[in-house]
Amino acid sequence: MNDAAPAPTPAPAPRRARVRAPELIGKGGWLNTGGKDLSLADLRGRIAILDFWTFCCINCLHVLDELRELEEKHRDTVVIIGVHSPKFVHEAEHAAVVDAVERYQVHHPVLDDPELATWKQYAVRAWPTLVVIDPEGYIVAQHAGEGHAHAIARLVEELEAEHEAKGTLRRGDGPYVAPEPVAGALRFPGKALLLPSGNLLVSDSTRHQLVELAADGESVVRRIGSGERGFAGDSFSEPQGLALLPDGKVVVADTVNHALRLYDPATGHVETVAGTGRQWWQGSPTSGPALEVDLSSPWDVAWWQGRVWIAMAGVHQLWTWDPEAGTVEVAAGTTNEGLLDGPAAEAWFAQPSGLAAAGDRLWIADSETSALRYVEAADDGHDGYVVKSAVGTGLFDFGHRDGDAAQALLQHPLGVTALPDGSVAVCDTYNHALRRFDPATGQVSTLATDLREPSDAVLVGEDIVVVESARHRLTRLRLPEEAVRVDAVAHRTQRAATEVAPGTLRLDIVFQAPSGQKLDTRYGPSTRLLVSSTPPELLAAGDGAGSDLFRELALNPDVTEGVLHVSAMAASCDDDPANEYPACHVHQQDWGVPVRVTADGTSRLPLVLAGMDAEG
């Protein structure tokens, strides 16, 4: 008989307070539900994943693609709800949201929230953000940024098992109702190209094809591609940019396949020439054999100075592909999102989406900064390139204003076209306009209005043919001698500023490795934090890069308002001692946080990269 005292019962692990999910509200109403309004009560018994997105945001588009497999695999237990939360004025238009849901083939219910009501209820601070709600209506996880599909899939399986056992899981068909298909020659075309034959080649993005049209811009000559998402054979996935090579072949930016394809109009043959079909992540190679290096959402391509230049929207950079050497490499940009000019290797871009070669300059539509920029050879006697801005000031200023380039405004332009007189036509997409910048005078004017989301334009004789993406057609315009005058409008991103106290502000990036993972410290620090501000004078100290996910920021007492730009990254690997080669995952996110200094403001700014809000 053992007389020893029994071992004390271990205290249960403390549970975090359970947080009830706020109701879903939005003045724009619901899409993809057959006209029915949804509430959280309608989702009870299902695992709900809220995807806070806006259709201008490339990271949001990445998340839409990441969620497709999860959505299909767990269709009887998981309901994904898109909460469309606009940044730009155009994105608050209900018709534009309807178009975006079809354009990007969103196959789940979407709440149109033009006034950011649900965004505020859930204290969201960044696009994209994913919130997981359990079958009983409680928030169990929140993740900002992309790359979280693996962690969420694991959490979903845990929640399925837990609530199946409790009897609180309800299986069955979800509330998604597919819209009726629409006929037509084109559906949300992206870019266009004039072929040597005089015909026009168009990327028919939503239908995953290229379409060759006769010179009239309407009659279909042939379609290239299966019409279904794919990477094998001649299949594409949301193709965008097109560039004609000197040998008559066409380079295609196969955007969602993260690849460049080569199309031969003479034979109809399609082959992959760059990319692996996988998305580039931080730490991946940025140069090497083209078929061995990952790319990230190439949006446009242009032949310039003996190479194909790539607008790599997914990582805010320009890359190049050398057909002779069969290699790719970064040509400009750091992956930081913003507007910063200077040597190419140090410049910042924000979703470069349109390219046009013009002699010694490569023009760029830098969409998220609503800017027209260009690359040219360095003029200081050194080799290499420099990046300069012609129109635009940064991520948060946009509008429709003509005049001197220093004060002119665009709104999320996607296309640029070099004109014969040395000026540049800009497809000012969210202003539904064609604009013109003249480097000789430094003036911006409006050439045409009442276009619907123009995304590219191509010169055909004395005319310019515009891709009206949201009208699903090409529109031929005669270039006028004088610009059309429109009333000037200026905007700033309408997000409520965070009120912060003067003095020192503690910045904390909230990150917890997902269940079954741990931080990867095998090769040094696994985290990175980069902080800057607009205006730069907002921060007296604390800007720059570091490896800690916290920072003490000193606010300048002479500046009372601005934007904090925060970029965070963390790497975690599967925590399985039996696995010699665990899978690793990169979590990353950029924030632009408007702040206002007030006496009763907060002295701590937490930003959630990935973490559990409740036990689950």
Side-chain angles (χ1 to χ4, degrees), residues 299-329:
W299 207 273
D300 203 6
V301 282
W303 176 257
W304 187 58
Q305 298 197 347
R307 291 179 289 171
V308 171
W309 288 67
I310 310 164
M312 201 74 78
V315 286
H316 317 300
Q317 291 179 313
L318 302 183
W319 288 39
T320 61
W321 169 56
D322 185 337
E324 292 294 326
T327 57
V328 292
E329 64 180 352

PDB file of all heavy atoms in Angstrom, residues 299-329:
ATOM      1  N   TRP A 299       1.588  41.639 -63.566  1.00  0.00           N
ATOM      2  CA  TRP A 299       0.371  42.280 -64.057  1.00  0.00           C
ATOM      3  C   TRP A 299       0.543  42.866 -65.453  1.00  0.00           C
ATOM      4  O   TRP A 299      -0.401  42.987 -66.207  1.00  0.00           O
ATOM      5  CB  TRP A 299      -0.079  43.367 -63.082  1.00  0.00           C
ATOM      6  CG  TRP A 299      -1.550  43.620 -63.135  1.00  0.00           C
ATOM      7  CD1 TRP A 299      -2.221  44.471 -63.966  1.00  0.00           C
ATOM      8  CD2 TRP A 299      -2.555  42.997 -62.333  1.00  0.00           C
ATOM      9  NE1 TRP A 299      -3.569  44.438 -63.740  1.00  0.00           N
ATOM     10  CE2 TRP A 299      -3.809  43.529 -62.717  1.00  0.00           C
ATOM     11  CE3 TRP A 299      -2.520  42.059 -61.301  1.00  0.00           C
ATOM     12  CZ2 TRP A 299      -5.012  43.145 -62.121  1.00  0.00           C
ATOM     13  CZ3 TRP A 299      -3.718  41.680 -60.714  1.00  0.00           C
ATOM     14  CH2 TRP A 299      -4.945  42.214 -61.126  1.00  0.00           C
ATOM     15  N   ASP A 300       1.762  43.256 -65.798  1.00  0.00           N
ATOM     16  CA  ASP A 300       2.006  43.765 -67.148  1.00  0.00           C
ATOM     17  C   ASP A 300       3.439  43.470 -67.539  1.00  0.00           C
ATOM     18  O   ASP A 300       4.297  43.186 -66.690  1.00  0.00           O
ATOM     19  CB  ASP A 300       1.733  45.268 -67.238  1.00  0.00           C
ATOM     20  CG  ASP A 300       1.426  45.728 -68.666  1.00  0.00           C
ATOM     21  OD1 ASP A 300       1.323  44.860 -69.565  1.00  0.00           O
ATOM     22  OD2 ASP A 300       1.283  46.939 -68.890  1.00  0.00           O
ATOM     23  N   VAL A 301       3.698  43.514 -68.852  1.00  0.00           N
ATOM     24  CA  VAL A 301       5.026  43.237 -69.394  1.00  0.00           C
ATOM     25  C   VAL A 301       5.299  44.230 -70.534  1.00  0.00           C
ATOM     26  O   VAL A 301       4.373  44.710 -71.191  1.00  0.00           O
ATOM     27  CB  VAL A 301       5.140  41.786 -69.924  1.00  0.00           C
ATOM     28  CG1 VAL A 301       5.331  40.805 -68.790  1.00  0.00           C
ATOM     29  CG2 VAL A 301       3.913  41.400 -70.753  1.00  0.00           C
ATOM     30  N   ALA A 302       6.577  44.532 -70.745  1.00  0.00           N
ATOM     31  CA  ALA A 302       6.963  45.442 -71.830  1.00  0.00           C
ATOM     32  C   ALA A 302       8.370  45.087 -72.298  1.00  0.00           C
ATOM     33  O   ALA A 302       9.243  44.759 -71.484  1.00  0.00           O
ATOM     34  CB  ALA A 302       6.919  46.897 -71.364  1.00  0.00           C
ATOM     35  N   TRP A 303       8.592  45.160 -73.611  1.00  0.00           N
ATOM     36  CA  TRP A 303       9.917  44.938 -74.178  1.00  0.00           C
ATOM     37  C   TRP A 303      10.664  46.270 -74.170  1.00  0.00           C
ATOM     38  O   TRP A 303      10.235  47.244 -74.805  1.00  0.00           O
ATOM     39  CB  TRP A 303       9.796  44.388 -75.596  1.00  0.00           C
ATOM     40  CG  TRP A 303      11.102  44.210 -76.303  1.00  0.00           C
ATOM     41  CD1 TRP A 303      11.642  45.000 -77.266  1.00  0.00           C
ATOM     42  CD2 TRP A 303      12.052  43.147 -76.081  1.00  0.00           C
ATOM     43  NE1 TRP A 303      12.862  44.519 -77.667  1.00  0.00           N
ATOM     44  CE2 TRP A 303      13.139  43.374 -76.962  1.00  0.00           C
ATOM     45  CE3 TRP A 303      12.087  42.036 -75.233  1.00  0.00           C
ATOM     46  CZ2 TRP A 303      14.249  42.529 -77.018  1.00  0.00           C
ATOM     47  CZ3 TRP A 303      13.193  41.197 -75.290  1.00  0.00           C
ATOM     48  CH2 TRP A 303      14.260  41.449 -76.172  1.00  0.00           C
ATOM     49  N   TRP A 304      11.769  46.329 -73.425  1.00  0.00           N
ATOM     50  CA  TRP A 304      12.529  47.583 -73.287  1.00  0.00           C
ATOM     51  C   TRP A 304      13.996  47.263 -73.034  1.00  0.00           C
ATOM     52  O   TRP A 304      14.313  46.450 -72.169  1.00  0.00           O
ATOM     53  CB  TRP A 304      11.967  48.420 -72.134  1.00  0.00           C
ATOM     54  CG  TRP A 304      12.563  49.797 -72.015  1.00  0.00           C
ATOM     55  CD1 TRP A 304      12.576  50.775 -72.945  1.00  0.00           C
ATOM     56  CD2 TRP A 304      13.203  50.341 -70.844  1.00  0.00           C
ATOM     57  NE1 TRP A 304      13.187  51.910 -72.445  1.00  0.00           N
ATOM     58  CE2 TRP A 304      13.575  51.674 -71.163  1.00  0.00           C
ATOM     59  CE3 TRP A 304      13.493  49.841 -69.575  1.00  0.00           C
ATOM     60  CZ2 TRP A 304      14.230  52.503 -70.252  1.00  0.00           C
ATOM     61  CZ3 TRP A 304      14.138  50.669 -68.667  1.00  0.00           C
ATOM     62  CH2 TRP A 304      14.500  51.986 -69.003  1.00  0.00           C
ATOM     63  N   GLN A 305      14.845  47.854 -73.840  1.00  0.00           N
ATOM     64  CA  GLN A 305      16.299  47.722 -73.706  1.00  0.00           C
ATOM     65  C   GLN A 305      16.749  46.261 -73.684  1.00  0.00           C
ATOM     66  O   GLN A 305      17.550  45.838 -72.854  1.00  0.00           O
ATOM     67  CB  GLN A 305      16.787  48.472 -72.469  1.00  0.00           C
ATOM     68  CG  GLN A 305      16.503  49.985 -72.569  1.00  0.00           C
ATOM     69  CD  GLN A 305      17.303  50.810 -71.598  1.00  0.00           C
ATOM     70  OE1 GLN A 305      17.914  50.286 -70.666  1.00  0.00           O
ATOM     71  NE2 GLN A 305      17.316  52.113 -71.814  1.00  0.00           N
ATOM     72  N   GLY A 306      16.193  45.477 -74.619  1.00  0.00           N
ATOM     73  CA  GLY A 306      16.658  44.112 -74.836  1.00  0.00           C
ATOM     74  C   GLY A 306      16.161  43.080 -73.863  1.00  0.00           C
ATOM     75  O   GLY A 306      16.621  41.930 -73.888  1.00  0.00           O
ATOM     76  N   ARG A 307      15.226  43.463 -72.999  1.00  0.00           N
ATOM     77  CA  ARG A 307      14.671  42.516 -72.038  1.00  0.00           C
ATOM     78  C   ARG A 307      13.178  42.753 -71.886  1.00  0.00           C
ATOM     79  O   ARG A 307      12.667  43.815 -72.243  1.00  0.00           O
ATOM     80  CB  ARG A 307      15.345  42.670 -70.655  1.00  0.00           C
ATOM     81  CG  ARG A 307      16.799  42.220 -70.603  1.00  0.00           C
ATOM     82  CD  ARG A 307      17.368  42.431 -69.214  1.00  0.00           C
ATOM     83  NE  ARG A 307      17.565  43.845 -68.913  1.00  0.00           N
ATOM     84  CZ  ARG A 307      17.894  44.327 -67.706  1.00  0.00           C
ATOM     85  NH1 ARG A 307      18.027  43.492 -66.689  1.00  0.00           N
ATOM     86  NH2 ARG A 307      18.069  45.613 -67.517  1.00  0.00           N
ATOM     87  N   VAL A 308      12.489  41.772 -71.330  1.00  0.00           N
ATOM     88  CA  VAL A 308      11.087  41.942 -70.968  1.00  0.00           C
ATOM     89  C   VAL A 308      11.031  42.430 -69.522  1.00  0.00           C
ATOM     90  O   VAL A 308      11.524  41.749 -68.619  1.00  0.00           O
ATOM     91  CB  VAL A 308      10.305  40.625 -71.124  1.00  0.00           C
ATOM     92  CG1 VAL A 308       8.900  40.768 -70.542  1.00  0.00           C
ATOM     93  CG2 VAL A 308      10.238  40.217 -72.583  1.00  0.00           C
ATOM     94  N   TRP A 309      10.453  43.602 -69.337  1.00  0.00           N
ATOM     95  CA  TRP A 309      10.267  44.147 -67.987  1.00  0.00           C
ATOM     96  C   TRP A 309       8.897  43.717 -67.474  1.00  0.00           C
ATOM     97  O   TRP A 309       7.925  43.677 -68.232  1.00  0.00           O
ATOM     98  CB  TRP A 309      10.398  45.668 -68.000  1.00  0.00           C
ATOM     99  CG  TRP A 309      11.829  46.096 -68.195  1.00  0.00           C
ATOM    100  CD1 TRP A 309      12.586  45.921 -69.320  1.00  0.00           C
ATOM    101  CD2 TRP A 309      12.683  46.728 -67.238  1.00  0.00           C
ATOM    102  NE1 TRP A 309      13.854  46.402 -69.129  1.00  0.00           N
ATOM    103  CE2 TRP A 309      13.945  46.917 -67.857  1.00  0.00           C
ATOM    104  CE3 TRP A 309      12.507  47.176 -65.932  1.00  0.00           C
ATOM    105  CZ2 TRP A 309      15.008  47.518 -67.197  1.00  0.00           C
ATOM    106  CZ3 TRP A 309      13.570  47.781 -65.268  1.00  0.00           C
ATOM    107  CH2 TRP A 309      14.796  47.945 -65.904  1.00  0.00           C
ATOM    108  N   ILE A 310       8.851  43.388 -66.199  1.00  0.00           N
ATOM    109  CA  ILE A 310       7.652  42.802 -65.588  1.00  0.00           C
ATOM    110  C   ILE A 310       7.179  43.688 -64.442  1.00  0.00           C
ATOM    111  O   ILE A 310       7.949  43.982 -63.512  1.00  0.00           O
ATOM    112  CB  ILE A 310       7.946  41.389 -65.035  1.00  0.00           C
ATOM    113  CG1 ILE A 310       8.648  40.525 -66.083  1.00  0.00           C
ATOM    114  CG2 ILE A 310       6.665  40.727 -64.549  1.00  0.00           C
ATOM    115  CD1 ILE A 310       9.300  39.274 -65.490  1.00  0.00           C
ATOM    116  N   ALA A 311       5.924  44.130 -64.497  1.00  0.00           N
ATOM    117  CA  ALA A 311       5.314  44.826 -63.364  1.00  0.00           C
ATOM    118  C   ALA A 311       4.859  43.762 -62.373  1.00  0.00           C
ATOM    119  O   ALA A 311       3.789  43.179 -62.537  1.00  0.00           O
ATOM    120  CB  ALA A 311       4.142  45.681 -63.823  1.00  0.00           C
ATOM    121  N   MET A 312       5.669  43.506 -61.365  1.00  0.00           N
ATOM    122  CA  MET A 312       5.393  42.434 -60.406  1.00  0.00           C
ATOM    123  C   MET A 312       4.525  43.004 -59.278  1.00  0.00           C
ATOM    124  O   MET A 312       5.008  43.326 -58.177  1.00  0.00           O
ATOM    125  CB  MET A 312       6.690  41.850 -59.873  1.00  0.00           C
ATOM    126  CG  MET A 312       6.530  40.455 -59.303  1.00  0.00           C
ATOM    127  SD  MET A 312       6.313  39.209 -60.590  1.00  0.00           S
ATOM    128  CE  MET A 312       8.011  39.028 -61.142  1.00  0.00           C
ATOM    129  N   ALA A 313       3.232  43.115 -59.568  1.00  0.00           N
ATOM    130  CA  ALA A 313       2.304  43.778 -58.641  1.00  0.00           C
ATOM    131  C   ALA A 313       2.291  43.119 -57.268  1.00  0.00           C
ATOM    132  O   ALA A 313       2.128  43.795 -56.252  1.00  0.00           O
ATOM    133  CB  ALA A 313       0.899  43.778 -59.233  1.00  0.00           C
ATOM    134  N   GLY A 314       2.453  41.791 -57.230  1.00  0.00           N
ATOM    135  CA  GLY A 314       2.326  41.066 -55.964  1.00  0.00           C
ATOM    136  C   GLY A 314       3.381  41.375 -54.944  1.00  0.00           C
ATOM    137  O   GLY A 314       3.163  41.151 -53.748  1.00  0.00           O
ATOM    138  N   VAL A 315       4.540  41.895 -55.375  1.00  0.00           N
ATOM    139  CA  VAL A 315       5.609  42.209 -54.421  1.00  0.00           C
ATOM    140  C   VAL A 315       6.112  43.631 -54.582  1.00  0.00           C
ATOM    141  O   VAL A 315       7.159  43.987 -54.069  1.00  0.00           O
ATOM    142  CB  VAL A 315       6.793  41.216 -54.536  1.00  0.00           C
ATOM    143  CG1 VAL A 315       6.426  39.883 -53.939  1.00  0.00           C
ATOM    144  CG2 VAL A 315       7.249  41.050 -55.975  1.00  0.00           C
ATOM    145  N   HIS A 316       5.378  44.471 -55.334  1.00  0.00           N
ATOM    146  CA  HIS A 316       5.702  45.890 -55.458  1.00  0.00           C
ATOM    147  C   HIS A 316       7.111  46.100 -56.026  1.00  0.00           C
ATOM    148  O   HIS A 316       7.897  46.896 -55.498  1.00  0.00           O
ATOM    149  CB  HIS A 316       5.575  46.593 -54.100  1.00  0.00           C
ATOM    150  CG  HIS A 316       4.364  46.184 -53.321  1.00  0.00           C
ATOM    151  ND1 HIS A 316       3.083  46.360 -53.800  1.00  0.00           N
ATOM    152  CD2 HIS A 316       4.228  45.575 -52.109  1.00  0.00           C
ATOM    153  CE1 HIS A 316       2.215  45.888 -52.917  1.00  0.00           C
ATOM    154  NE2 HIS A 316       2.879  45.404 -51.889  1.00  0.00           N
ATOM    155  N   GLN A 317       7.412  45.393 -57.096  1.00  0.00           N
ATOM    156  CA  GLN A 317       8.728  45.491 -57.720  1.00  0.00           C
ATOM    157  C   GLN A 317       8.601  45.458 -59.243  1.00  0.00           C
ATOM    158  O   GLN A 317       7.552  45.105 -59.799  1.00  0.00           O
ATOM    159  CB  GLN A 317       9.634  44.329 -57.291  1.00  0.00           C
ATOM    160  CG  GLN A 317      10.070  44.363 -55.831  1.00  0.00           C
ATOM    161  CD  GLN A 317      10.956  43.161 -55.493  1.00  0.00           C
ATOM    162  OE1 GLN A 317      10.646  42.024 -55.832  1.00  0.00           O
ATOM    163  NE2 GLN A 317      12.058  43.420 -54.823  1.00  0.00           N
ATOM    164  N   LEU A 318       9.705  45.782 -59.919  1.00  0.00           N
ATOM    165  CA  LEU A 318       9.876  45.500 -61.333  1.00  0.00           C
ATOM    166  C   LEU A 318      10.949  44.425 -61.463  1.00  0.00           C
ATOM    167  O   LEU A 318      12.001  44.511 -60.833  1.00  0.00           O
ATOM    168  CB  LEU A 318      10.326  46.750 -62.098  1.00  0.00           C
ATOM    169  CG  LEU A 318       9.434  47.990 -62.028  1.00  0.00           C
ATOM    170  CD1 LEU A 318      10.023  49.100 -62.904  1.00  0.00           C
ATOM    171  CD2 LEU A 318       8.008  47.682 -62.446  1.00  0.00           C
ATOM    172  N   TRP A 319      10.659  43.400 -62.270  1.00  0.00           N
ATOM    173  CA  TRP A 319      11.627  42.359 -62.567  1.00  0.00           C
ATOM    174  C   TRP A 319      11.890  42.370 -64.073  1.00  0.00           C
ATOM    175  O   TRP A 319      11.192  43.061 -64.832  1.00  0.00           O
ATOM    176  CB  TRP A 319      11.082  40.980 -62.176  1.00  0.00           C
ATOM    177  CG  TRP A 319      10.996  40.696 -60.701  1.00  0.00           C
ATOM    178  CD1 TRP A 319      10.628  41.562 -59.713  1.00  0.00           C
ATOM    179  CD2 TRP A 319      11.258  39.443 -60.053  1.00  0.00           C
ATOM    180  NE1 TRP A 319      10.637  40.931 -58.492  1.00  0.00           N
ATOM    181  CE2 TRP A 319      11.024  39.635 -58.683  1.00  0.00           C
ATOM    182  CE3 TRP A 319      11.653  38.197 -60.500  1.00  0.00           C
ATOM    183  CZ2 TRP A 319      11.182  38.611 -57.746  1.00  0.00           C
ATOM    184  CZ3 TRP A 319      11.804  37.170 -59.578  1.00  0.00           C
ATOM    185  CH2 TRP A 319      11.584  37.383 -58.217  1.00  0.00           C
ATOM    186  N   THR A 320      12.880  41.620 -64.495  1.00  0.00           N
ATOM    187  CA  THR A 320      13.127  41.463 -65.930  1.00  0.00           C
ATOM    188  C   THR A 320      13.324  39.988 -66.266  1.00  0.00           C
ATOM    189  O   THR A 320      13.777  39.198 -65.430  1.00  0.00           O
ATOM    190  CB  THR A 320      14.375  42.244 -66.392  1.00  0.00           C
ATOM    191  OG1 THR A 320      15.536  41.758 -65.703  1.00  0.00           O
ATOM    192  CG2 THR A 320      14.210  43.730 -66.155  1.00  0.00           C
ATOM    193  N   TRP A 321      12.966  39.658 -67.499  1.00  0.00           N
ATOM    194  CA  TRP A 321      13.231  38.336 -68.060  1.00  0.00           C
ATOM    195  C   TRP A 321      14.093  38.526 -69.294  1.00  0.00           C
ATOM    196  O   TRP A 321      13.753  39.299 -70.186  1.00  0.00           O
ATOM    197  CB  TRP A 321      11.936  37.620 -68.432  1.00  0.00           C
ATOM    198  CG  TRP A 321      12.149  36.369 -69.248  1.00  0.00           C
ATOM    199  CD1 TRP A 321      12.919  35.293 -68.923  1.00  0.00           C
ATOM    200  CD2 TRP A 321      11.594  36.072 -70.542  1.00  0.00           C
ATOM    201  NE1 TRP A 321      12.884  34.342 -69.913  1.00  0.00           N
ATOM    202  CE2 TRP A 321      12.065  34.799 -70.924  1.00  0.00           C
ATOM    203  CE3 TRP A 321      10.727  36.763 -71.403  1.00  0.00           C
ATOM    204  CZ2 TRP A 321      11.723  34.202 -72.139  1.00  0.00           C
ATOM    205  CZ3 TRP A 321      10.374  36.163 -72.609  1.00  0.00           C
ATOM    206  CH2 TRP A 321      10.873  34.896 -72.971  1.00  0.00           C
ATOM    207  N   ASP A 322      15.213  37.826 -69.328  1.00  0.00           N
ATOM    208  CA  ASP A 322      16.139  37.876 -70.453  1.00  0.00           C
ATOM    209  C   ASP A 322      15.913  36.625 -71.299  1.00  0.00           C
ATOM    210  O   ASP A 322      16.309  35.520 -70.905  1.00  0.00           O
ATOM    211  CB  ASP A 322      17.587  37.925 -69.947  1.00  0.00           C
ATOM    212  CG  ASP A 322      18.599  38.092 -71.068  1.00  0.00           C
ATOM    213  OD1 ASP A 322      18.277  37.751 -72.231  1.00  0.00           O
ATOM    214  OD2 ASP A 322      19.721  38.562 -70.796  1.00  0.00           O
ATOM    215  N   PRO A 323      15.270  36.753 -72.460  1.00  0.00           N
ATOM    216  CA  PRO A 323      14.976  35.558 -73.270  1.00  0.00           C
ATOM    217  C   PRO A 323      16.224  34.832 -73.748  1.00  0.00           C
ATOM    218  O   PRO A 323      16.208  33.600 -73.893  1.00  0.00           O
ATOM    219  CB  PRO A 323      14.181  36.121 -74.460  1.00  0.00           C
ATOM    220  CG  PRO A 323      13.690  37.450 -74.011  1.00  0.00           C
ATOM    221  CD  PRO A 323      14.721  37.969 -73.066  1.00  0.00           C
ATOM    222  N   GLU A 324      17.288  35.577 -74.011  1.00  0.00           N
ATOM    223  CA  GLU A 324      18.516  34.943 -74.497  1.00  0.00           C
ATOM    224  C   GLU A 324      19.172  34.097 -73.415  1.00  0.00           C
ATOM    225  O   GLU A 324      19.565  32.953 -73.647  1.00  0.00           O
ATOM    226  CB  GLU A 324      19.490  36.016 -75.000  1.00  0.00           C
ATOM    227  CG  GLU A 324      19.040  36.729 -76.258  1.00  0.00           C
ATOM    228  CD  GLU A 324      19.005  35.791 -77.460  1.00  0.00           C
ATOM    229  OE1 GLU A 324      19.856  34.890 -77.532  1.00  0.00           O
ATOM    230  OE2 GLU A 324      18.115  35.956 -78.308  1.00  0.00           O
ATOM    231  N   ALA A 325      19.292  34.667 -72.228  1.00  0.00           N
ATOM    232  CA  ALA A 325      19.943  33.952 -71.125  1.00  0.00           C
ATOM    233  C   ALA A 325      18.985  33.007 -70.410  1.00  0.00           C
ATOM    234  O   ALA A 325      19.419  32.104 -69.686  1.00  0.00           O
ATOM    235  CB  ALA A 325      20.533  34.956 -70.130  1.00  0.00           C
ATOM    236  N   GLY A 326      17.677  33.211 -70.584  1.00  0.00           N
ATOM    237  CA  GLY A 326      16.706  32.375 -69.885  1.00  0.00           C
ATOM    238  C   GLY A 326      16.687  32.606 -68.389  1.00  0.00           C
ATOM    239  O   GLY A 326      16.469  31.671 -67.616  1.00  0.00           O
ATOM    240  N   THR A 327      16.894  33.869 -67.957  1.00  0.00           N
ATOM    241  CA  THR A 327      16.969  34.181 -66.530  1.00  0.00           C
ATOM    242  C   THR A 327      16.005  35.312 -66.181  1.00  0.00           C
ATOM    243  O   THR A 327      15.597  36.099 -67.034  1.00  0.00           O
ATOM    244  CB  THR A 327      18.396  34.608 -66.133  1.00  0.00           C
ATOM    245  OG1 THR A 327      18.796  35.737 -66.939  1.00  0.00           O
ATOM    246  CG2 THR A 327      19.383  33.466 -66.332  1.00  0.00           C
ATOM    247  N   VAL A 328      15.666  35.380 -64.898  1.00  0.00           N
ATOM    248  CA  VAL A 328      14.905  36.504 -64.362  1.00  0.00           C
ATOM    249  C   VAL A 328      15.686  37.102 -63.209  1.00  0.00           C
ATOM    250  O   VAL A 328      16.512  36.434 -62.577  1.00  0.00           O
ATOM    251  CB  VAL A 328      13.500  36.081 -63.865  1.00  0.00           C
ATOM    252  CG1 VAL A 328      12.614  35.666 -65.020  1.00  0.00           C
ATOM    253  CG2 VAL A 328      13.592  34.980 -62.820  1.00  0.00           C
ATOM    254  N   GLU A 329      15.392  38.393 -62.912  1.00  0.00           N
ATOM    255  CA  GLU A 329      16.003  39.042 -61.759  1.00  0.00           C
ATOM    256  C   GLU A 329      15.219  40.293 -61.397  1.00  0.00           C
ATOM    257  O   GLU A 329      14.476  40.847 -62.224  1.00  0.00           O
ATOM    258  CB  GLU A 329      17.463  39.411 -62.033  1.00  0.00           C
ATOM    259  CG  GLU A 329      17.658  40.425 -63.138  1.00  0.00           C
ATOM    260  CD  GLU A 329      19.121  40.755 -63.367  1.00  0.00           C
ATOM    261  OE1 GLU A 329      19.950  40.304 -62.569  1.00  0.00           O
ATOM    262  OE2 GLU A 329      19.417  41.466 -64.342  1.00  0.00           O
TER     263      GLU A 329
END
